[in-house]
Amino acid sequence: MKTFAVLTLLLTGTLLTAQITDNMFDEFGGWDDVVSLPLKTFRSTRIVNMQSVENPYPGELAFTVGHRFGNVQRGFYNMFGLDMATIRLGLDYGINSWLAAGMGRSTFQKNWDGYLKARLITQEGRLRYPFSLTYYAAASQATIRNIYPEQHDNFLDKTSFIHSLMVSRKFSELFSLQISSILLRSSYLPETMSAVNHFSLGAATRVRLTPMTHLNIEYIPSIIDDGVNRTNPLSVGFDIETGGHVFQLFFSNTQGIADKAWLVNTTGQWQEGDIFFGFTITRVFYL
Amino acid sequence: MKTIVSIVALIITISFSGIAQITHFTREGKISFFSSAPIEDIEAVNSRVQALLDNSSGEIAVRMRIEDFQFRKSLMQKHFNENYMESHNYPEARFDGYIEGFDEFAEDGYPDEVTVRGNMTIRGVTNEVAVAGSFRRSGPHYVCRAVFPVSLEDYDIRIPRMLVRNIAEVVEVTVDIRLAPVN
């Protein structure tokens, strides 16, 4: 009987400390809308080669160093391709909550590129959209000499433009999906000896492996036949976050680092073992 | 007979203890934390902390949303939510307890130095804690201030080994809450 009385006392004691319920809080107005950051559908502004719907946060300057190495089949003598690297150095800047701008220079055809990227719709946000929509417009200028035929070795023929509209949804912290339409307009392509309008439809997914590492798969089939002999880029990569850096390591059947290069000049075939290793390191600075 | 008495007593206590009379509240309490590590200092503030007080019993409950913590660097805020606090799984942190030796008829500026005891829940892990701080009457209001350490390990918040020099194992939490009378 005494134990029962003690139990009663104990119970009273515990109950006394847990009386104020969530309902009582809600009577005083509950929660306001959270002012949260846009949720990260992908960890970086690029998935592997393709742009993701993400922009740098406002005021963030991201410096990217990208390397694409040679064919892994080249064996130990060429360190499985590591001896042949093409690189791109880039800067991406978050102008405000919806607009970002960036530029870069890659060794592929001594290519300069610049872009604007606008987040038109952000998943959730104030209007609770179920998906994100981002528009990307880029111009690139090859400055390499003596590769284009003489009559096309001028500034305008080495210019190309890319427009991309991408839709993505973050289904959970574990999984995101993106579909991108990519249009490339090139004034002149040495491969076809003509102007080219190229259209690709890319699909990509992110799967969380650990809180700071993610697996990305990206496939970018071309939809219209523009006469260029190529294969469709398929890439598998890992995003590794470490505080202010994101390391992206990947294998792909394309060695291209500039947008135009992987859209037009992809020739590798996975089944033949034509695989290229590459990485992109992104470091964020605050201005 | 005694059994029945005890059961009745139990029922009465349970039913009575369910009724806390909220006398003071706030939706704009401030809780911040500060982490000092060799590589960098990290600070974040949540200015939308909610608190309820029953000044007849000294019971107090505090709740806050993890996503409401604002950092100077957006990237830190992202990592805080997604990697460390997992705010999508554990959106709220909460404290339920009572103020020891609380006197509802205390004069202005008192009872001052108090100990608040209760259960603190962060990231789904509940620990029993006792926090020393100041709790003063100020006219019809109560002003509550406290600074206390929180060990990340106690709440199962894991820091990757690569970042142990960026994030402190024990962070300093500062509470600044002003409770207004109901009505």
Side-chain angles (χ1 to χ4, degrees):
Chain A
M1 205 63 325
K2 265 185 186 168
T3 39
F4 201 82
V6 170
L7 197 70
T8 317
L9 213 72
L10 275 175
L11 261 172
T12 333
T14 45
L15 282 168
L16 268 172
T17 62
Q19 280 182 16
I20 300 177
T21 61
D22 273 333
N23 286 343
M24 292 172 157
F25 273 106
D26 293 338
E27 278 169 31
F28 288 90
W31 294 115
D32 294 322
D33 276 348
V34 71
V35 195
S36 58
L37 298 163
L39 75 180
K40 282 280 180 190
T41 311
F42 291 91
R43 294 299 130 150
S44 182
T45 54
R46 282 171 190 79
I47 300 168
V48 173
N49 286 312
M50 188 164 96
Q51 293 282 334
S52 76
V53 289
E54 302 297 340
N55 271 351
Y57 288 123
E60 263 183 22
L61 180 72
F63 174 55
T64 60
V65 181
H67 275 64
R68 303 294 185 275
F69 298 104
N71 198 320
V72 295
Q73 285 183 329
R74 295 213 180 217
F76 183 72
Y77 178 66
N78 285 313
M79 202 57 213
F80 304 99
L82 258 63
D83 288 350
M84 304 85 161
T86 57
I87 65 162
R88 179 182 179 275
L89 301 178
L91 289 172
D92 306 298
Y93 180 65
I95 295 167
N96 54 36
S97 62
W98 61 274
L99 189 67
M103 59 173 294
R105 166 68 157 76
S106 67
T107 52
F108 170 78
Q109 293 187 352
K110 303 191 186 297
N111 205 77
W112 289 89
D113 62 81
Y115 74 85
L116 282 174
K117 193 172 170 188
R119 296 198 67 137
L120 306 177
I121 291 175
T122 305
Q123 188 182 338
E124 292 179 351
R126 233 187 303 155
L127 294 171
R128 307 205 175 281
Y129 284 103
F131 58 88
S132 294
L133 181 71
T134 298
Y135 171 64
Y136 166 80
S140 79
Q141 182 65 45
T143 60
I144 195 162
R145 294 175 194 145
N146 307 324
I147 290 284
Y148 283 61
E150 205 172 322
Q151 67 273 30
H152 292 288
D153 203 10
N154 56 48
F155 185 86
L156 285 177
D157 276 349
K158 292 187 207 166
T159 307
S160 51
F161 297 97
I162 289 176
H163 297 272
S164 177
L165 200 59
M166 46 207 128
V167 181
S168 82
R169 176 166 166 79
K170 180 178 188 172
F171 289 89
S172 71
E173 285 305 317
L174 294 176
F175 176 67
S176 303
L177 203 61
Q178 177 172 320
I179 306 285
S180 300
S181 58
I182 306 165
L183 180 71
L184 168 78
R185 163 75 195 178
S186 220
S187 319
Y188 179 81
L189 266 193
E191 288 84 349
T192 57
M193 297 188 287
S194 64
V196 157
N197 289 315
H198 175 78
F199 186 67
S200 283
L201 206 56
T205 178
R206 171 193 65 86
V207 178
R208 185 173 102 160
L209 303 176
T210 74
M212 298 186 83
T213 53
H214 300 257
L215 170 73
N216 293 329
I217 300 171
E218 166 188 287
Y219 182 58
I220 314 165
S222 52
I223 296 302
I224 51 170
D225 182 14
D226 51 13
V228 182
N229 185 20
R230 81 159 84 64
T231 54
N232 296 325
L234 171 66
S235 315
V236 178
F238 298 92
D239 285 1
I240 302 162
E241 289 180 287
T242 63
H245 291 84
V246 182
F247 289 82
Q248 297 180 289
L249 313 176
F250 38 81
F251 288 97
S252 176
N253 60 343
T254 180
Q255 196 189 3
I257 194 161
D259 290 346
K260 192 176 128 190
W262 51 262
L263 278 169
V264 177
N265 298 64
T266 298
T267 51
Q269 289 183 321
W270 274 85
Q271 60 270 32
E272 305 286 324
D274 290 342
I275 305 166
F276 304 87
F277 174 64
F279 68 77
T280 305
I281 299 172
T282 305
R283 165 77 211 187
V284 167
F285 297 95
Y286 291 83
L287 298 186
Chain B
M1 188 58 205
K2 270 183 179 172
T3 322
I4 295 165
V5 169
S6 301
I7 289 170
V8 169
L10 183 65
I11 290 167
I12 288 171
T13 0
I14 289 171
S15 44
F16 268 92
S17 57
I19 306 163
Q21 280 299 323
I22 303 304
T23 57
H24 291 74
F25 80 108
T26 182
R27 291 161 55 77
E28 298 162 336
K30 216 183 258 184
I31 289 185
S32 59
F33 70 81
F34 180 70
S35 148
S36 181
I39 291 182
E40 61 188 345
D41 292 341
I42 300 168
E43 199 174 10
V45 188
N46 186 336
S47 322
R48 300 161 107 188
V49 175
Q50 302 187 352
L52 300 180
L53 170 76
D54 174 354
N55 78 345
S56 62
S57 63
E59 282 170 60
I60 186 163
V62 182
R63 72 172 189 178
M64 73 213 74
R65 267 187 314 201
I66 301 305
E67 278 188 279
D68 283 330
F69 277 96
Q70 300 293 319
F71 290 66
R72 201 170 59 81
K73 297 180 178 178
S74 319
L75 191 67
M76 278 184 182
Q77 190 168 330
K78 188 195 101 174
H79 288 153
F80 171 75
N81 279 291
E82 293 184 0
N83 301 339
Y84 303 119
M85 299 299 286
E86 296 179 53
S87 59
H88 50 284
N89 289 332
Y90 312 103
E92 290 177 22
R94 195 178 162 114
F95 174 82
D96 291 282
Y98 60 96
I99 301 157
E100 241 174 32
F102 185 78
D103 176 8
E104 68 175 297
F105 303 109
E107 290 170 39
D108 256 23
Y110 289 91
D112 201 7
E113 296 305 317
V114 297
T115 301
V116 180
R117 277 181 202 283
N119 292 321
M120 185 138 68
T121 307
I122 303 173
R123 210 183 153 272
V125 179
T126 303
N127 280 315
E128 218 169 281
V129 294
V131 175
S134 113
F135 202 96
R136 292 182 192 173
R137 193 185 185 112
S138 164
H141 295 84
Y142 285 101
V143 178
C144 167
R145 289 206 173 94
V147 180
F148 59 94
V150 170
S151 158
L152 304 192
E153 203 185 349
D154 290 350
Y155 296 92
D156 213 7
I157 300 164
R158 280 179 293 258
I159 306 298
R161 206 167 342 136
M162 206 184 275
L163 293 175
V164 287
R165 285 164 62 76
N166 297 66
I167 301 168
E169 284 169 45
V170 177
V171 300
E172 186 185 85
V173 174
T174 304
V175 179
D176 185 354
I177 290 173
R178 184 185 164 88
L179 292 141
V182 175
N183 298 327

